[in-house]
């Protein structure tokens, strides 16, 4: 069967292209797999056509390797044939800027002799502000059909369907007028949109009020990924536990029962539980992006982060990393510069995530008495938590600086920070929900299997040779004993080795494993009891600090490694990262133990 | 004087570009409307000595120092 004929959708970022794509294709979308593509090209069925959505581009003249690839891919698609028509989406409220890009596209498409249609999107905003564009005059002048539409309201989409079906002839641009001249002749004069935007920016980008709003909005994001996702994560966890009990009830006690209940259902639980956080974070980032505020965040944070080889766009992923590294790594997709994205992605695991919290709690409670105060006012335990979070940032920024300087300049181009400030708009919820679903599904389908297999392997090692409940005599315990010489410089025994091994599946497992090995049930809820047991067992300040340092740096999280593997499309990057962070963590821990022991 | 030196709420005109400016940067700025003799309005300096924000034609852009220092400008007096 031959490929369906294609309609290609192109446009500038923030032109409403994705919303139009969603409107035309509904839910029938997939990530297209074209040869050589490393940029995400989405396609979907639009009637009898395959609608191909290219990533937004500011120009057909690329300034970075990534943009060059996207433009090259567009040209390759045009060369490959089977093109019915190209639809170029223009932002009607920014006519001149949009036409500059549109004319470049028309010139390129004209070389291949394909028809092209310009859609003047967001025309509802033109009308609601009592402005107008001489659309037929513009169309006549260029020799290209121009249609006023609104992807938000759906107005004009039936006209678009008819015009595309008629396949208007287009050989080359009729007019030699520039975008500025065309706007002057056919567009509107006073730009009310800019005035309104500048008024709002006077608040959001001012040094004082801008900083207050920024902190308030970031606090809300932090709350959403930490607090709002929690009931959903607990709910997911409860469903998985219930499912385990139901399945367990069908099978009689023994290996098969334990395998299904603990390895299969438990293994599924280790990664499904992250989905609510990924969904909520993707949705909120989409809200900020579509409202226009995300560009402002990038501008506010750019200068401080630039010092460390990052950009303003690295801030949101770093902030998200406090909840979980996985959605944070997905959030780096908004960074165009490959080098900055690379440096951000690889240092996110150093930001203190929520899975580190139970470990921090355990050692802070074990090492610092509850009533101790700093300067007689602040809780010393609270200060220790704060110091651990700051330490995470410190190491992440330091590593970013190193990685961005080491990254090959040829392989990882550094796109300069040139950001167009989009107008403030009320986001449309449906495409944001679809984006959040897509992101969650990508995680489940691609990172999930790796996490699942690792969980099952760790379960096998902890189960055999003696069966369930015999962790002390399992293969995992044997491996813990093997690790004892390595752990001796930290002043801890084989039990910590076993806990470190099991926590590779998920960091928080460290606490429950130590609980099991010390005879403390429900250790995650009874941190105080376990801390007391560890103190009674001879845990010293030096060993505790050494382990805290180890866990604040080591990449003990298979889910994060699987996600990095997926995003970098490389095996050696997550491997090298795991080895180097583990080594760094180990060396610093030994140094801390040695310093504090004397 | 370069684009980076422009004060907030002032108009400037682009006189030209530094010779050592990467060609790709020049082309991109040209596409965005930062062309020779174009009049640009400096809207603000972002907090923390961050990027400069300019209005050119009907759009607003933030440019970091590594790009803005390549653009030669002169002040324009407006009544």
């Amino acid at each position: 069967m031959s490929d369906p004929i294609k309609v290609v959708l192109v446009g500038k970022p923030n032109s409403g292209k994705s919303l139009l794509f969603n409107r035309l294709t509904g839910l029938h979308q997939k990530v297209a797999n074209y040869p050589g593509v490393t940029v995400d090209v989405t396609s979907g069925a639009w009637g009898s056509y395959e609608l191909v959505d290219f990533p937004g581009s500011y120009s057909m003249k690329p300034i970075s390797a990534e943009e060059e690839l996207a433009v090259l891919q567009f040209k390759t698609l045009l060369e490959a044939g089977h093109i019915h028509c190209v639809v170029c989406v223009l932002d009607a409220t920014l006519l001149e800027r949009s036409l500059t890009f549109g004319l470049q596209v028309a010139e390129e498409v004209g070389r291949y002799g394909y028809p092209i249609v310009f859609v003047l999107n967001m025309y509802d905003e033109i009308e609601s502000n009592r402005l107008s564009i001489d659309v037929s005059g513009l169309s006549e002048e260029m020799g290209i059909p121009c249609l006023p539409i609104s992807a938000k309201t759906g107005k004009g989409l039936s006209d678009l369907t008819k015009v595309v079906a008629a396949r208007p002839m287009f050989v080359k641009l009729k007019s030699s007028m520039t975008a500025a001249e065309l706007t002057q002749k056919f567009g509107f004069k006073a730009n009310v949109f800019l005035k309104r935007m500048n008024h709002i920016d006077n608040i959001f980008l001012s040094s004082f009020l801008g900083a207050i709003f920024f902190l308030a909005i970031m606090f809300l994001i932090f709350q959403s990924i930490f607090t709002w996702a929690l009931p959903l994560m607990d709910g997911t966890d409860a469903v998985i536990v219930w499912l385990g009990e139901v399945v367990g009830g069908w099978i009689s006690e023994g290996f098969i029962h334990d395998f299904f209940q603990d390895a299969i259902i438990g293994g599924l639980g280790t990664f499904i539980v992250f989905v609510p956080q990924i969904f909520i974070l993707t949705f909120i980032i989409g809200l900020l992006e579509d409202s226009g505020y995300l560009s402002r965040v990038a501008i506010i944070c750019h200068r401080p982060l630039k010092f460390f080889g990052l950009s303003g766009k690295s801030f949101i992923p770093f902030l998200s990393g406090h909840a979980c590294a996985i959605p944070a790594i997905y959030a780096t997709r908004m960074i165009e510069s490959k080098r900055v994205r690379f440096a951000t992605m690889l240092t996110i695991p150093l930001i203190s995530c929520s899975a580190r919290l139970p470990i921090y709690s355990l050692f802070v409670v074990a090492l610092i008495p509850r009533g101790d105060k700093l300067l007689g006012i602040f809780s010393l335990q609270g200060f220790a938590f704060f110091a651990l979070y700051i330490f995470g940032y410190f190491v992440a920024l330091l590593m970013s600086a190193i990685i961005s300087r080491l990254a090959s300049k040829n392989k990882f181009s550094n796109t300069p920070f040139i950001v167009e400030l989009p107008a403030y708009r009320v986001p449309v919820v449906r495409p944001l929900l679809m984006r959040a679903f897509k992101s969650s599904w990508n995680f489940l389908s691609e990172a999930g299997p790796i996490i699942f297999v690792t969980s099952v392997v760790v379960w096998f090692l902890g189960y055999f040779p003696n069966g369930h409940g015999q962790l002390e005599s399992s293969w995992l315990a044997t491996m813990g004993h093997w690790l004892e010489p390595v752990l001796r410089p930290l002043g801890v025994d084989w039990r910590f080795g076993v806990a470190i091994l099991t926590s590779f599946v998920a960091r928080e497992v460290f606490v429950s494993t130590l609980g099991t090995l010390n005879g403390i049930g429900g250790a995650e809820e009874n941190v105080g009891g376990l801390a007391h047991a560890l103190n009674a067992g001879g845990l010293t300040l030096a060993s505790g600090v050494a382990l805290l340092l180890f866990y604040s740096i080591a990449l003990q999280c298979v889910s994060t490694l699987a996600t990095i593997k997926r995003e970098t499309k490389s095996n050696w990057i997550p491997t090298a990262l795991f080895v180097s962070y583990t080594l760094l963590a180990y060396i610093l821990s030994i140094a801390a133990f040695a310093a504090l022991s004397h | 004087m370069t684009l980076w030196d422009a004060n907030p709420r002032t108009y400037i005109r682009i006189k030209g570009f530094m010779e050592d400016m990467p060609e790709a940067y020049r082309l991109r700025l040209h596409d965005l409307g930062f062309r020779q003799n174009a009049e640009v309005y400096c809207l603000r300096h972002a907090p923390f000595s961050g990027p400069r924000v300019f209005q050119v034609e009907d759009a607003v852009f933030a440019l970091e120092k590594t790009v803005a220092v390549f653009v030669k400008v002169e002040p324009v007096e407006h009544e």
Side-chain angles (χ1 to χ4, degrees):
Chain A
M1 206 173 107
S2 64
D3 287 342
I5 198 155
K6 295 178 180 75
V7 172
V8 183
L9 203 59
V10 287
K12 268 185 346 95
N14 305 310
S15 60
K17 186 170 60 67
S18 301
L19 187 56
L20 177 63
F21 178 79
N22 285 322
R23 273 266 179 196
L24 297 174
T25 58
L27 290 166
H28 313 290
Q29 309 169 11
K30 62 183 168 72
V31 172
N33 186 18
Y34 292 103
V37 170
T38 57
V39 289
D40 271 353
V41 177
T42 315
S43 80
W46 178 33
S48 57
Y49 309 117
E50 181 191 359
L51 189 64
V52 184
D53 180 22
F54 264 81
S57 174
Y58 285 109
S59 171
M60 293 300 286
K61 296 166 193 162
I63 61 169
S64 68
E66 301 78 56
E67 283 187 352
E68 200 172 315
L69 196 68
V71 171
L72 183 73
Q73 200 56 45
F74 176 61
K75 291 179 182 175
T76 308
L77 186 69
L78 293 180
E79 272 169 22
H82 288 288
I83 308 286
H84 178 76
C85 178
V86 174
V87 175
C88 184
V89 187
L90 310 181
D91 178 351
T93 66
L94 290 172
L95 191 60
E96 186 175 338
R97 276 281 303 121
S98 301
L99 279 172
T100 305
F101 175 72
L103 292 176
Q104 287 177 1
V105 175
E107 200 180 314
E108 197 61 47
V109 173
R111 278 195 200 120
Y112 297 90
Y114 293 123
I116 184 166
V117 177
F118 280 1
V119 290
L120 303 177
N121 194 17
M122 304 178 202
Y123 206 81
D124 54 322
E125 293 186 31
I126 300 285
E127 287 175 330
S128 63
N129 284 280
R130 294 176 185 170
L131 299 168
S132 68
I133 296 170
D134 179 1
V135 181
S136 54
L138 186 65
S139 189
E140 182 68 25
E141 177 65 37
M142 293 188 296
I144 297 172
C146 297
L147 295 169
I149 67 153
S150 168
K152 193 174 172 181
T153 64
K155 199 174 171 185
L157 297 191
S158 55
D159 293 338
L160 174 63
T161 311
K162 283 178 204 155
V163 169
V164 167
R167 204 168 188 245
M169 284 305 294
F170 172 72
V171 180
K172 63 173 192 170
L173 275 167
K174 268 172 69 181
S175 174
S176 58
M177 286 173 83
T178 64
E181 290 162 345
L182 288 167
T183 309
Q184 190 100 32
K185 191 170 176 187
F186 303 105
F188 46 91
K189 297 282 183 289
N191 200 326
V192 291
F193 304 105
L194 275 183
K195 277 186 192 156
R196 195 176 304 148
M197 185 172 102
N198 287 338
H199 282 312
I200 304 174
D201 276 340
N202 283 339
I203 299 168
F204 282 151
L205 286 180
S206 82
S207 296
F208 179 67
L209 278 178
I212 289 176
F213 272 104
F214 169 74
L215 290 174
I217 291 168
M218 291 312 121
F219 178 75
L220 276 177
I221 295 182
F222 207 72
Q223 282 292 306
S224 69
I225 49 184
F226 245 125
T227 316
W228 301 345
L230 210 59
L232 290 171
M233 292 176 82
D234 288 345
T236 311
D237 204 30
V239 169
I240 291 160
V241 169
W242 171 80
L243 197 66
E245 284 168 0
V246 169
V247 173
W250 293 338
I251 308 164
S252 54
E253 294 286 323
F255 166 72
I256 302 291
H257 172 276
D258 294 344
F259 177 72
F260 269 99
Q261 193 164 20
D262 300 335
I264 300 288
I265 307 286
L268 285 171
T270 52
F271 67 94
I272 290 175
V273 80
F274 290 118
V275 170
Q277 268 187 342
I278 293 171
F279 186 89
I280 289 181
L281 185 70
T282 313
F283 182 77
I284 289 177
I285 288 176
L287 267 182
L288 291 178
E289 197 176 357
D290 289 4
S291 69
Y293 186 68
L294 205 58
S295 307
R296 276 76 182 178
V297 172
I299 290 167
I300 292 169
C301 299
H302 183 69
R303 182 71 183 83
L305 290 175
K306 167 103 179 158
F307 184 75
F308 299 97
L310 301 169
S311 104
K313 293 183 179 179
S314 308
F315 182 77
I316 295 278
F318 267 11
L319 188 79
S320 317
H322 279 300
C324 175
I326 296 154
I329 289 165
Y330 283 127
T332 62
R333 288 178 179 185
M334 66 177 144
I335 303 171
E336 294 95 0
S337 165
K338 203 168 180 180
R339 195 189 309 179
V340 173
R341 187 183 174 212
F342 192 71
T344 310
M345 194 193 307
L346 301 194
T347 49
I348 282 171
L350 296 164
I351 300 289
S352 293
C353 66
S354 54
R356 282 179 169 112
L357 265 176
I359 302 168
Y360 289 175
S361 298
L362 174 66
F363 288 110
V364 166
V365 169
L367 300 176
I368 303 170
R370 198 174 174 185
D372 281 13
K373 299 274 183 199
L374 180 73
L375 303 171
I377 310 168
F378 305 107
S379 154
L380 198 58
Q381 286 188 345
F383 179 77
F385 266 104
F386 178 72
L388 284 164
Y389 272 74
I390 295 295
F391 179 71
Y393 265 112
F394 173 75
V395 182
L397 291 174
L398 202 68
M399 290 307 293
S400 300
I402 295 168
I403 290 170
S404 65
R405 276 157 188 78
L406 288 180
S408 158
K409 287 191 178 178
N410 296 327
K411 203 171 173 187
F412 301 105
S413 69
N414 195 10
T415 314
F417 188 83
I418 303 174
V419 171
E420 180 173 0
L421 272 72
Y424 290 100
R425 289 196 169 92
V426 178
V428 184
V429 173
R430 192 165 170 262
L432 291 179
L433 285 173
M434 283 168 68
R435 203 187 301 174
F437 272 119
K438 198 171 147 188
S439 192
S440 308
W441 176 247
N442 280 348
F443 168 71
L444 281 176
S445 61
E446 295 187 38
I450 301 171
I451 304 165
F452 178 69
V453 168
T454 313
S455 306
V456 171
V457 169
V458 170
W459 179 85
F460 262 100
L461 292 172
Y463 192 88
F464 287 106
N466 296 321
H468 191 58
Q470 304 288 319
L471 191 58
E472 296 90 336
S473 54
S474 67
W475 286 326
L476 206 60
T478 309
M479 289 165 80
H481 281 289
W482 290 344
L483 276 180
E484 222 163 18
V486 181
L487 295 169
R488 208 165 290 133
L490 308 183
V492 291
D493 62 19
W494 67 273
R495 286 172 299 178
F496 287 88
V498 175
I500 288 171
L501 286 174
T502 55
S503 68
F504 184 61
V505 174
R507 283 186 183 96
E508 59 270 33
V509 175
F510 177 85
V511 176
S512 53
T513 307
L514 268 186
T516 306
L517 294 171
N518 284 278
I520 307 287
E524 281 174 79
E525 291 78 36
N526 185 16
V527 166
L530 179 57
H532 184 74
L534 292 182
N535 279 333
L539 179 76
T540 63
L541 176 72
S543 293
V545 171
L547 284 168
L548 270 176
L549 274 179
F550 181 83
Y551 266 97
S552 62
I553 296 171
L555 215 172
Q556 288 284 106
C557 179
V558 68
S559 316
T560 304
L561 288 167
T563 311
I564 291 174
K565 174 184 164 9
R566 183 197 179 275
E567 291 297 290
T568 56
K569 294 179 176 67
S570 157
N571 284 324
W572 79 265
I573 290 176
T575 309
L577 205 65
F578 173 71
V579 172
S580 54
Y581 282 176
T582 306
L583 273 178
L584 177 68
Y586 184 60
I587 291 165
L588 282 179
S589 304
I590 292 175
F593 180 78
L596 292 169
S597 298
H598 297 293
Chain B
M1 182 183 177
T2 70
L3 205 51
W4 185 252
D5 306 314
N7 288 321
R9 297 194 183 90
T10 58
Y11 284 92
I12 48 213
R13 182 172 288 113
I14 295 175
K15 280 167 64 185
F17 301 91
M18 301 288 185
E19 280 180 10
D20 56 344
M21 181 180 199
E23 182 64 5
Y25 289 14
R26 200 185 60 73
L27 285 172
R28 172 53 53 89
L29 288 185
H30 184 272
D31 281 350
L32 301 181
F34 292 89
R35 303 179 191 116
Q36 191 148 7
N37 293 321
E39 201 173 281
V40 176
Y41 183 57
C42 179
L43 282 161
R44 68 191 87 248
H45 293 177
F48 314 120
S49 303
R52 307 300 196 233
V53 183
F54 302 99
Q55 182 182 327
V56 52
E57 296 161 359
D58 61 358
V60 176
F61 299 97
L63 266 60
E64 69 172 330
K65 190 175 181 180
T66 46
V67 184
V69 290
F70 283 118
V71 186
K72 293 188 271 189
V73 299
E74 61 185 5
V76 176
E77 294 299 326
H78 271 266
E79 299 258 322

